[in-house]
């Protein structure tokens, strides 16, 4: 602050002028007249009320703001001129301290004057005088706002008083000299206020006239303004403006009108226009509306379906999901494609459909657990981020993540070589309704890994897959038997139940092996009798397998005391051993398999050709009756029978005698020769073979010999004498 000494006339001081102007603006009464209200208030009050009215956004407030603001501006100019005059007079005082004190005295006096009841508010009901505090508290309902404004004004005035009292540094003086004139600042401020007021009143000044003139943008502007106003009347007025715009073809008005008034009648009125214009969302909503309306015509339903297809084709996610649900039963592959496209946009419904279908492997969705885990993880992330609504019956984010984790864990354990996980995963892949080629291949690979580690369950399941051709796997009997043989060697009861019987029946391509069958039945009897080899004791099953074991032992007993395994006999027979060839054929005939029986006859033919009289005799009945593997051939019968008889085969001699006695197999009846054969049997050395009852057979030959002798005697007596 300057010292109290005489000095040249001071320069113009904007700080002094603005200090005085603000003081006068807030303290001196400004007369005004508006309709039925008359009185005096500070010019600042008029300006504030006018500005507030300008921003209320309706015509009445606009008029009020223009009047009050206009009056306030007039008095603001008056007070500015008065402040300029006072500042001019104060500049006449050369002593800075005295000038500052006088300025402070003027400000204080003005505010003290404002405390007096000099303000008048009146109207038809009379008038009332009050001081500035009463006036402010009567109109400003928020004390905190009033206190904040008063404090800000006090700080501003104090700063201006200090600013006018000190000598500014040279650079600030230069800025002050170059500053734009006060009137330019006032014009700029007025322009900002005017622009703000016009923007605040754009509905009344711009939008409504444009809407009345038929411009859709103006109608939309008014409708949106009214829509956001509280109260039913504003909503109804907004609907009226929206309808005016919609009737002129505004698609935006149609959409917002349906959002404001979503009833079926409104939707039926405006949705077709939007849908026909290609709006995919409108097409989907039209489909939903028509399908939910029992009174919808067939033509409407057909059009709705066409629009739905086109909306889905245009990439609309909701339409794709809806169309997929319509197609999933008849065209699951098409539904899968639609849902996968929607899933690329993180649609929750599509992700949920794909997640459970790929996990279950339903028709049209080959099981794919890795993709199912991916979709579950995306569902969990979407639920956590509140990205989509997954429906009333959907899982929580933790539930989806748990499903994904369970699948990931199973896959990792299977890849790490755990046979239990490999079996579980393979079973899940194969037992799905639609395993798919990739799923089957992966399942077989998993089973083979587990089976290669010695897991009997995996070996058994692989055998079933290849032998029965299940789950789309092509039959491969040799491959299946290899796996079953490994499991049977470990006394795996479920496998032995198939294999032991197959050793006799020849099922699944198994060759006859009575010894292996007996071993398998023995294990089964032991398992179900004592509850061993991983099964519980079961009296009924034990009795069944005991019966099968006894039958097998009887078959082995019929083959003679020197029974040999079929594998051993086959090696000897292949080497040309006629006895082994005969015994191999005998053992093959114990099979239920037609192929095994046919093979047996081929071995006997080889044995007969090598001079085995047993084979020669056995073939007689087959050539006599005919057999699928041997055609009926009496010439061959006679040849074989004579060869067997020549070899002193007991039954062969007896049968040859009967053939001559009865005239069988194409032999001419010859009682003399028959008698000679019978006597040769009884008098000579004959060879009895395994299973022959010597006494009985000899008795039968003796009886036939006596019968032939009687017939010869009778024939000789009946002949006329020479």
């Amino acid at each position: 602050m300057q010292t109290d000494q005489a000095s040249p006339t001071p320069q113009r001081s904007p700080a002094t002028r603005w200090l005085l102007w603000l003081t006068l603006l807030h303290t001196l009464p400004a007369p005004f007249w508006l309709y039925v209200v008359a009185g005096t208030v500070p010019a600042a009050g008029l300006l504030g009320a006018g500005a507030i009215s300008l921003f209320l956004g309706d015509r009445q407030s606009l008029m009020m703001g223009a009047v009050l603001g206009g009056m306030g501006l007039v008095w603001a100019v008056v007070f500015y001129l008065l402040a300029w005059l006072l500042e001019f007079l104060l500049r006449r005082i050369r002593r800075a301290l005295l000038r500052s004190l006088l300025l402070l005295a003027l400000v204080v006096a003005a505010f003290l004057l404002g405390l007096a009841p000099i303000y008048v508010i009146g109207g038809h009901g009379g008038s009332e005088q009050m001081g500035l505090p009463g006036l402010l508290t009567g109109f400003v309902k928020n004390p905190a706002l009033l206190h904040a404004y008063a404090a800000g004004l006090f700080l501003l005035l104090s700063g201006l008083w200090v600013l006018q009292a000190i000598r500014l540094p040279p650079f600030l003086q230069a800025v002050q000299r170059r500053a734009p004139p006060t009137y330019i600042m006032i014009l700029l401020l007025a322009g900002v206020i005017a622009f703000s007021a016009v923007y605040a009143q754009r509905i009344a000044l711009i939008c409504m006239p444009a809407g009345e003139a038929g411009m859709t943008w103006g109608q939309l502007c008014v409708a949106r303004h009214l829509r956001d106003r509280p109260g039913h009347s504003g909503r109804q007025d907004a609907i009226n403006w929206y309808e005016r715009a919609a009737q002129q073809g505004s698609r935006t008005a149609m959409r917002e009108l349906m959002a404001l008034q979503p009833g079926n009648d409104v939707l039926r009125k405006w949705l077709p226009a939007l849908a026909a214009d290609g709006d995919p969302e409108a097409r989907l909503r039209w489909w939903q509306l028509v399908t939910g309306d029992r009174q919808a015509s067939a033509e409407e339903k057909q059009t709705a379906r066409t629009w739905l297809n086109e909306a889905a084709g245009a990439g609309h996610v909701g339409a794709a999901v809806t169309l997929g649900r319509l197609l999933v039963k008849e065209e699951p592959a098409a539904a899968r494609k639609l849902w996968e496209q929607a899933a690329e946009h993180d649609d929750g419904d599509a992700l949920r459909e794909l997640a459970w279908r790929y996990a279950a492997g339903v028709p049209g969705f080959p099981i794919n657990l890795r993709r199912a885990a991916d979709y579950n993880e995306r569902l969990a992330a979407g639920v956590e981020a509140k990205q989509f609504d997954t429906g009333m019956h959907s899982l929580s984010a933790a539930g989806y993540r748990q499903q994904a984790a369970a699948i990931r864990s199973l896959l990792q354990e299977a890849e790490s070589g755990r046979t239990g996980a490999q079996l579980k995963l393979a079973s899940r892949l194969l037992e799905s309704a639609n395993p798919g080629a990739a799923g089957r291949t992966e399942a077989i690979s998993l089973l083979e890994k587990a089976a290669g580690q010695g897991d009997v369950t995996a070996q058994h399941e692989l055998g079933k897959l290849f032998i029965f051709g299940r789950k789309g796997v092509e039959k491969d009997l040799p491959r299946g038997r290899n796996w079953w043989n490994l499991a049977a060697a470990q006394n795996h009861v479920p496998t032995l139940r198939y294999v032991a019987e197959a050793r006799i029946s020849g099922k699944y391509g198994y060759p006859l092996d009575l010894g292996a069958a007996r071993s398998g039945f023995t294990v089964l009897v032991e398992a179900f009798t004592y509850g061993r080899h991983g099964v519980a004791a079961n009296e009924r099953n034990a009795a069944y397998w005991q019966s099968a074991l006894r039958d097998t032992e009887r078959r082995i007993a019929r083959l003679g005391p020197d029974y040999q395994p079929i594998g051993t006999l086959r090696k000897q027979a292949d080497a040309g051993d006629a006895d082994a060839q005969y015994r191999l054929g005998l053992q093959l005939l114990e099979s239920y398999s037609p192929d095994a029986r046919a093979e047996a006859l081929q071995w006997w033919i080889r044995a007969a050709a090598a001079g085995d009289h047993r084979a020669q005799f056995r073939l007689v009945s087959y050539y006599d009756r005919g057999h699928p593997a041997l055609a009926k051939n009496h010439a061959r019968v006679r040849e074989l029978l004579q060869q067997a008889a020549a070899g002193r085969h007991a039954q062969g001699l007896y049968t040859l005698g009967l053939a001559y006695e009865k005239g069988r197999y194409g032999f001419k009846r010859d009682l003399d020769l028959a008698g000679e054969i019978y006597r040769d049997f009884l008098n000579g050395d004959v060879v009895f073979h395994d299973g022959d009852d010597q006494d009985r057979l000899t008795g039968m030959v003796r009886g036939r010999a006596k019968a032939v002798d009687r017939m010869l005697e009778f024939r000789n007596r009946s002949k006329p004498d020479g």
Side-chain angles (χ1 to χ4, degrees):
M1 186 178 293
Q2 299 174 345
T3 59
D4 189 15
Q5 295 179 353
S7 61
T9 302
Q11 299 294 321
R12 295 175 57 190
S13 175
T16 302
R17 187 164 59 255
W18 287 111
L19 175 62
L20 290 169
W21 181 69
L22 288 173
T23 300
L24 299 176
L25 197 68
H26 286 83
T27 58
L28 294 188
F32 71 97
W33 178 274
L34 179 62
Y35 296 112
V36 297
V37 180
T40 56
V41 296
L46 289 175
L47 286 172
I52 292 173
S53 298
L54 288 176
F55 288 90
L56 290 180
D58 58 77
R59 291 182 176 179
Q60 291 77 11
S61 298
L62 180 63
M63 183 181 298
M64 179 71 74
V67 173
L68 294 177
M71 293 287 294
L73 286 174
V74 169
W75 284 103
V77 172
V78 171
F79 290 142
Y80 181 81
L81 295 175
L82 181 59
W84 180 84
L85 177 62
L86 291 173
E87 186 236 346
F88 175 78
L89 295 176
L90 286 173
R91 277 193 289 115
R92 301 296 94 194
I93 302 174
R94 297 179 178 275
R95 297 184 180 277
L97 179 60
L98 179 60
R99 187 169 61 248
S100 297
L101 291 175
L102 285 174
L103 178 62
L104 180 62
L106 286 173
V107 172
V108 172
F111 276 99
L112 290 176
L113 181 64
L115 297 178
I118 61 174
Y119 303 107
V120 180
I121 298 296
H124 290 302
S127 61
E128 180 182 1
Q129 289 185 334
M130 63 186 71
L132 184 60
L135 180 68
L136 293 176
T137 55
F139 284 92
V140 181
K141 303 300 181 183
N142 190 337
L145 180 64
L146 181 61
H147 295 159
Y149 185 85
L153 180 63
F154 174 77
L155 292 175
L156 179 60
L157 295 178
S158 300
L160 291 172
W161 183 79
V162 172
L163 188 63
Q164 63 80 35
I166 63 176
R167 183 181 296 277
L168 295 176
F171 76 94
L172 290 180
Q173 293 180 11
V175 171
Q176 184 177 7
R177 286 194 298 270
R178 293 185 176 88
T182 302
Y183 67 86
I184 295 179
M185 297 178 63
I186 293 174
L187 288 176
L188 289 175
L189 179 62
V192 171
I193 294 174
F195 175 79
S196 301
V198 171
Y199 178 79
Q201 292 288 348
R202 65 190 181 280
I203 304 301
L205 295 176
I206 301 173
C207 295
M208 192 167 289
E212 295 289 358
M215 299 180 183
T216 56
W217 65 266
Q219 294 164 346
L220 279 173
C221 177
V222 176
R224 288 166 179 166
H225 172 71
L226 295 173
R227 176 194 64 190
D228 297 333
R229 289 177 59 182
H232 177 74
S233 60
R235 181 177 182 275
Q236 187 57 49
D237 291 341
I239 291 173
N240 295 336
W241 281 102
Y242 271 130
E243 286 185 345
R244 291 175 65 178
Q247 287 170 357
Q248 296 188 81
S250 172
R251 302 300 186 241
T252 302
M254 294 177 189
R255 295 187 188 94
E256 296 184 12
L257 179 59
M258 290 186 292
L260 185 63
Q261 201 177 20
N264 285 352
D265 292 340
V266 176
L267 295 177
R268 274 191 165 276
K269 183 176 181 180
W270 303 113
L271 272 178
L274 286 172
D277 200 38
D279 187 314
E281 179 67 24
R283 290 180 167 184
L284 173 60
R285 294 184 67 185
W286 179 250
W287 163 262
Q288 294 169 341
L289 178 66
V290 169
T291 53
D293 187 356
R294 295 181 178 180
Q295 298 180 352
S297 65
E299 182 179 357
E300 286 179 326
K301 293 180 179 179
Q302 180 61 39
T303 302
R305 179 58 185 269
T306 301
W307 281 345
L308 179 66
N309 293 343
E310 292 176 354
H316 189 273
V317 173
V321 172
T322 302
L323 183 58
R325 288 172 176 159
L326 295 176
L327 297 175
V328 69
K329 289 185 178 180
E330 302 297 331
E331 301 178 53
R336 184 178 74 246
K337 182 177 179 181
L338 288 167
W339 285 336
E340 287 177 345
Q341 291 172 352
E344 292 177 359
H345 299 278
D346 289 329
D347 180 81
D349 291 330
L351 289 172
R352 189 173 63 254
E353 292 285 356
L354 291 170
W356 80 262
R357 291 178 189 274
Y358 274 125
V362 298
F365 295 78
I367 187 169
N368 191 325
L369 296 180
R370 290 173 180 81
R371 297 192 71 177
D374 290 341
Y375 288 132
N376 274 303
E377 287 171 350
R378 289 171 62 184
L379 278 167
V383 173
E384 287 174 346
K386 297 182 179 180
Q387 182 177 345
F388 45 71
D389 176 16
T390 57
M392 293 177 60
H393 304 291
S394 63
L395 297 175
S396 63
Y400 288 119
R401 204 170 295 284
Q402 184 178 6
Q403 287 188 351
I407 294 174
R408 297 287 190 203
S409 176
L410 179 61
L411 293 171
Q412 291 173 0
E413 289 181 3
E415 290 173 358
S416 67
R418 295 187 180 181
T419 56
Q422 290 169 339
L423 284 171
K424 185 176 180 181
L425 180 55
S427 175
R428 185 164 180 179
L429 291 171
L430 291 172
E431 294 303 321
S432 66
N434 185 14
R440 282 191 293 270
T441 301
E442 183 178 2
I444 291 172
S445 176
L446 289 167
L447 288 174
E448 287 178 338
K449 289 178 182 178
Q453 299 179 63
D455 190 279
V456 290
T457 303
Q459 293 167 352
H460 175 70
E461 293 300 327
L462 277 170
K464 287 171 63 177
L465 280 176
F466 291 118
I467 285 176
F468 298 114
R470 293 179 175 175
K471 301 301 179 182
V473 177
E474 187 175 353
K475 279 188 177 183
D476 190 337
L477 294 181
R479 194 173 177 183
R481 289 196 302 270
N482 288 338
W483 290 116
W484 266 1
N485 290 340
L486 291 173
Q490 299 184 66
N491 293 334
H492 185 248
V493 171
T495 306
L496 285 173
R497 296 177 73 161
Y498 287 105
V499 174
E501 287 190 326
R503 294 293 189 182
I504 297 177
S505 65
K507 291 177 69 175
Y508 321 126
Y510 273 98
L512 174 70
D513 192 335
L514 295 177
R518 178 171 60 184
S519 299
F521 291 143
T522 301
V523 173
L524 290 169
V525 169
E526 177 184 295
F528 287 109
T529 301
Y530 303 108
R532 296 176 182 171
H533 306 299
V535 297
N538 187 301
E539 183 178 350
R540 183 176 179 182
N541 286 343
Y544 176 83
W545 296 115
Q546 183 67 54
S547 174
L549 177 60
R550 286 195 298 267
D551 178 70
T552 304
E553 289 176 338
R554 283 194 296 268
R555 292 173 184 274
I556 293 175
R558 285 198 296 267
L559 297 175
D562 54 347
Y563 166 78
Q564 288 181 303
I566 200 166
T568 303
L569 287 176
R570 194 177 292 279
K571 290 180 181 179
Q572 296 171 357
D574 285 334
D577 187 329
D579 178 68
Q581 292 169 348
Y582 169 74
R583 294 173 65 79
L584 177 58
L586 196 63
Q587 192 166 157
L588 288 171
L589 284 174
E590 293 294 336
S591 172
Y592 301 136
S593 169
D595 293 338
R597 289 175 173 270
E599 184 186 359
L601 296 180
Q602 296 303 315
W603 284 113
W604 277 354
I605 290 172
R606 293 177 62 180
D612 189 286
H613 305 306
R614 296 168 299 178
Q616 292 165 351
F617 176 74
R618 289 274 188 172
L619 287 170
V620 167
S621 61
Y622 288 95
Y623 278 115
D624 176 44
R625 296 192 303 268
H627 187 272
L630 293 177
K632 189 172 183 178
N633 189 338
H634 278 174
R636 183 63 175 151
V637 169
R638 293 192 296 271
E639 179 184 357
L640 290 169
L641 191 54
Q642 287 171 340
Q643 289 174 354
R648 310 303 294 168
H649 188 280
Q651 289 197 56
L653 276 170
Y654 172 64
T655 303
L656 183 59
L658 280 176
Y660 280 112
E661 179 188 349
K662 305 293 185 180
R664 295 175 178 172
Y665 313 127
F667 285 105
K668 185 178 180 181
R669 188 178 186 192
D670 189 336
L671 293 176
D672 294 317
L673 184 55
E676 289 178 9
I677 293 173
Y678 291 146
R679 285 190 293 274
D680 183 41
F681 182 100
L682 295 171
N683 297 327
D685 294 331
V686 293
V687 180
F688 292 95
H689 297 278
D690 296 339
D692 287 346
D693 187 341
Q694 297 184 29
D695 293 339
R696 181 174 178 275
L697 183 56
T698 302
M700 292 171 61
V701 172
R702 186 176 291 112
R704 293 316 310 161
K706 289 180 181 180
V708 169
D709 288 344
R710 285 195 298 271
M711 286 187 287
L712 287 172
E713 183 181 353
F714 177 76
R715 185 192 66 183
N716 292 333
R717 282 200 309 267
S718 62
K719 281 184 179 181
D721 294 337

